[in-house]
Amino acid sequence: MRLRPLFTKPLASYHAGVFILVAVTGIVISQLTEEHIILGSILIVEYLLLLVLMLHVYEKYMRPIKKASKSVDELVKGNYRTRIHHTSGGSIGELSSKLNMLARNLSEFQMQEQMQEEQLSTVIDNTQSGLVLIDEKGYIHLVNRKFLSMFGGTPKDYRSFLYYDVMENETIHETVQQTFLYEQNIKHSFTQTIDLDKKYIEIIGAPIFNERNMLKGAVLLLYDITHLKKLELMRKDFVANVSHELKTPITSITGFAETLLNGALNDKETLHRFLTIIYDESYRLQGLIEDLLTLSKLEKDDFRLTRTTVHMDQLTGEILPVLHQRAGQKGISLSTDVKEDIALQADGERIKQVIINLLTNAISYTPENGEVKLSVTDEEDHVHITVSDNGIGIHPEYVPRIFERFYRVDKARSRNTGGTGLGLAIVKHIVEVHNGNISVESEPGKGSVFHVLLPKHDETSL
Ligand SMILES: Nc1ncnc2c1ncn2[C@@H]1O[C@H](COP(=O)(O)OP(=O)(O)O)[C@@H](O)[C@H]1O
Ligand SMILES: [Mg+2]
């Protein structure tokens, strides 16, 4: 511990001066009379009394005030952790405790401000859209993590630079310029290659105003809208495909009906042939519309399965006669192996559709006199449906695509067999809404095996 000096320097020299003066005066006085000595002693005693008084005043008032002033200096410098340790009471004590309270409040404010700042930067950094803050002169003040993941670089590469010096994208420049010019939200979109992927980015520029309504800068928000674009593209593709699929049979129906009306009606043989075509085409149209309706029902947000206890042997018994007939027409042997007492909680009508679609395909894509098999087995908490054929098979390259809507390996072949290109898309949907799984093993020229696994109980409702 450092010892406190009794006096500060100027005070000490002042006292020393006074002391010498008094001492000299004392010597002078000693040469004088007794009365003078008494007078001198009184003077010394008075001086000492004065000294004690001054010391008291210094300790009680001067020191605490100096401490307080030092603390205020610290507060001004921003050190809010400073405190005054003083035990004196009275107004000086009050001043000290109030200063301490002020320091405590300021440090609390500082902590809150720090917390808010941290929260804000966490939010900004973790938001799923890119964010850039630009001042009215065009200098970048902030870029968040998402922005860096889109355009690369580190915050240092952007902060305090002019936006057009560090951002190359023309659409970004345009957005900033228009936001400043029109002082309103501006929206644009562009494509950007990120990690070798082409991404669609939407950019929104929003002006920032101060309390006097003067433009202070702009915020740029960048969203990755690739998935939306893809959905839009898929929708467009779907509409184009549907129109095309509808157009073919309708053109055919109109054409043959027109020919008949123009006179072919009188030739009985032609009449029969054309009417058969018209019938087949209308049948195809009907099938297509039914499949489209099924798909759109399955895709509705509020779609609900009507689950009941489905007995697999009973269910297959209901659909097999028609399929046996179809197989019989091509001389295909359709064998079934459905174990008894296999039951599951499912939507019976939909499961029927899965089996019909898979068996129809197996019959369609298997040459005459081929073999098609249906087996249903029990696998603990799953039911395993297998449809196999020794038909044309599917090249591995096409296997991942066959569940897409309207995808066919061989368009003409599918059409000739009355296919709509939607059968497997429907199957996949139904299996998925049952929380099941579908897989394919296939070899061109040898045949295909479709496996469907369906859970016996609806786990989601447990
Ligand atoms: N068992 C199978 N054997 C060979 N190819 C098949 C089989 N099942 C489906 N495919 C192929 O998958 C495509 C899509 O099937 P699907 O969605 O049922 O439409 P499609 O109406 O053409 O039958 C078919 O066009 C066909 O190329
Ligand atoms: Mg089909």
Side-chain angles (χ1 to χ4, degrees):
M1 204 178 85
R2 227 179 56 160
L3 282 175
R4 278 191 272 130
L6 201 55
F7 304 115
T8 52
K9 258 191 181 168
L11 201 64
S13 53
Y14 167 74
H15 286 296
V18 172
F19 184 78
I20 291 166
L21 192 70
V22 172
V24 170
T25 317
I27 293 167
V28 172
I29 286 171
S30 70
Q31 307 295 318
L32 301 174
T33 61
E34 203 172 299
E35 291 97 67
H36 287 131
I37 293 172
I38 294 167
L39 193 68
S41 307
I42 291 170
L43 270 173
I44 291 172
V45 170
E46 269 181 1
Y47 168 74
L48 286 174
L49 276 174
L50 189 74
L51 204 66
V52 170
L53 191 74
M54 278 173 74
L55 244 167
H56 177 72
V57 168
Y58 177 77
E59 269 297 314
K60 192 153 166 76
Y61 299 103
M62 295 296 282
R63 268 175 51 79
I65 288 175
K66 283 206 163 202
K67 269 191 184 175
S69 148
K70 243 190 192 167
S71 297
V72 171
D73 282 347
E74 287 296 310
L75 290 180
V76 169
K77 272 190 240 159
N79 173 15
Y80 302 139
R81 272 178 300 174
T82 184
R83 298 286 183 275
I84 307 167
H85 303 286
H86 201 80
T87 47
S88 71
S91 47
I92 291 289
E94 208 176 304
L95 174 70
S96 305
S97 65
K98 281 192 175 160
L99 272 176
N100 281 346
M101 214 191 303
L102 176 70
R104 250 195 307 278
N105 284 348
L106 283 171
S107 100
E108 234 166 70
F109 273 138
Q110 192 190 27
M111 258 157 63
Q112 273 177 7
E113 202 180 308
Q114 254 172 14
M115 256 162 61
Q116 275 174 359
E117 225 169 78
E118 274 166 24
Q119 280 172 355
L120 189 67
S121 68
T122 313
V123 170
I124 288 175
D125 257 342
N126 289 295
T127 162
Q128 280 313 297
S129 32
L131 197 141
V132 183
L133 191 67
I134 297 175
D135 69 15
E136 76 271 30
K137 294 196 184 87
Y139 286 96
I140 298 172
H141 283 244
L142 183 147
V143 290
N144 74 345
R145 212 181 290 161
K146 181 74 187 175
F147 176 86
L148 298 174
S149 78
M150 286 171 168
F151 294 89
T154 63
K156 272 193 207 150
D157 300 328
Y158 296 96
R159 231 182 270 155
S160 306
F161 285 103
L162 282 165
Y163 74 90
Y164 45 80
D165 284 342
V166 284
M167 293 176 179
E168 283 172 12
N169 190 294
E170 284 293 325
T171 317
I172 298 183
H173 294 184
E174 222 172 275
T175 311
V176 178
Q177 283 154 11
Q178 289 177 358
T179 308
F180 282 152
L181 185 64
Y182 301 119
E183 299 194 356
Q184 62 184 33
N185 287 8
I186 302 291
K187 201 195 283 188
H188 287 297
S189 62
F190 58 92
T191 55
Q192 169 86 3
T193 309
I194 301 169
D195 299 333
L196 302 175
D197 273 344
K198 187 177 163 189
K199 298 274 185 195
Y200 290 86
I201 311 265
E202 182 175 87
I203 176 169
I204 296 176
I208 309 171
F209 300 101
N210 66 6
E211 60 280 3
R212 275 175 289 134
N213 233 1
M214 277 161 65
L215 190 71
K216 288 305 288 174
V219 181
L220 301 181
L221 282 167
L222 297 105
Y223 303 97
D224 182 349
I225 51 161
T226 314
H227 62 292
L228 289 178
K229 278 275 172 193
K230 276 192 180 150
L231 276 180
E232 194 184 310
L233 218 70
M234 262 167 66
R235 214 195 59 232
K236 279 185 187 159
D237 273 0
F238 183 65
V239 172
N241 275 326
V242 170
S243 319
H244 180 76
E245 294 292 332
L246 289 173
K247 202 177 144 205
T248 323
I250 288 174
T251 314
S252 169
I253 292 171
T254 332
F256 285 107
E258 203 177 357
T259 322
L260 287 179
L261 287 173
N262 285 345
L265 197 64
N266 304 322
D267 178 3
K268 244 194 156 181
E269 204 184 304
T270 320
L271 176 67
H272 186 262
R273 199 153 51 88
F274 283 13
L275 276 181
T276 311
I277 296 172
I278 290 175
Y279 175 80
D280 286 348
E281 293 293 343
S282 339
Y283 188 75
R284 181 204 301 282
L285 212 54
Q286 193 184 337
L288 182 66
I289 288 164
E290 266 168 24
D291 279 358
L292 284 172
L293 284 174
T294 308
L295 259 185
S296 83
K297 254 191 228 160
L298 286 168
E299 281 184 346
K300 267 197 186 146
D301 282 343
D302 56 355
F303 172 75
R304 289 275 171 278
L305 286 172
T306 40
R307 286 183 192 257
T308 53
T309 305
V310 174
H311 297 276
M312 288 308 287
D313 48 352
Q314 195 184 328
L315 182 134
T316 48
E318 286 169 27
I319 52 174
L320 279 172
V322 185
L323 292 158
H324 267 299
Q325 196 189 343
R326 261 187 230 170
Q329 281 165 1
K330 270 181 93 176
I332 288 173
S333 83
L334 169 59
S335 57
T336 56
D337 176 13
V338 183
K339 300 273 180 294
E340 271 175 41
D341 298 331
I342 299 180
L344 75 159
Q345 293 293 317
D347 188 329
E349 287 308 309
R350 308 275 172 207
I351 303 298
K352 266 187 199 172
Q353 179 136 39
V354 167
I355 299 175
I356 292 174
N357 286 9
L358 291 179
L359 280 176
T360 309
N361 279 351
I363 295 166
S364 300
Y365 303 109
T366 299
E368 292 191 353
N369 305 320
E371 278 174 29
V372 171
K373 262 190 225 156
L374 164 73
S375 83
V376 180
T377 52
D378 194 332
E379 281 183 13
E380 287 182 12
D381 48 357
H382 282 84
V383 172
H384 186 175
I385 303 170
T386 316
V387 175
S388 54
D389 63 62
N390 62 352
I392 60 170
I394 309 158
H395 195 278
E397 188 188 329
Y398 307 127
V399 171
R401 300 205 57 190
I402 57 172
F403 296 100
E404 286 174 22
R405 299 157 176 189
F406 297 116
Y407 183 81
R408 294 134 159 157
V409 178
D410 181 341
K411 270 204 160 73
R413 187 171 197 137
S414 158
R415 280 229 176 80
N416 288 341
T417 58
T420 58
L422 294 173
L424 286 181
I426 293 174
V427 167
K428 188 161 192 264
H429 246 294
I430 296 176
V431 173
E432 276 172 2
V433 290
H434 278 88
N435 296 319
N437 182 54
I438 182 159
S439 58
V440 192
E441 296 166 54
S442 188
E443 205 179 314
K446 291 235 167 115
S448 317
V449 187
F450 284 77
H451 298 277
V452 173
L453 272 177
L454 294 171
K456 285 188 185 166
H457 303 284
D458 176 18
E459 280 129 22
T460 52
S461 69
L462 286 180

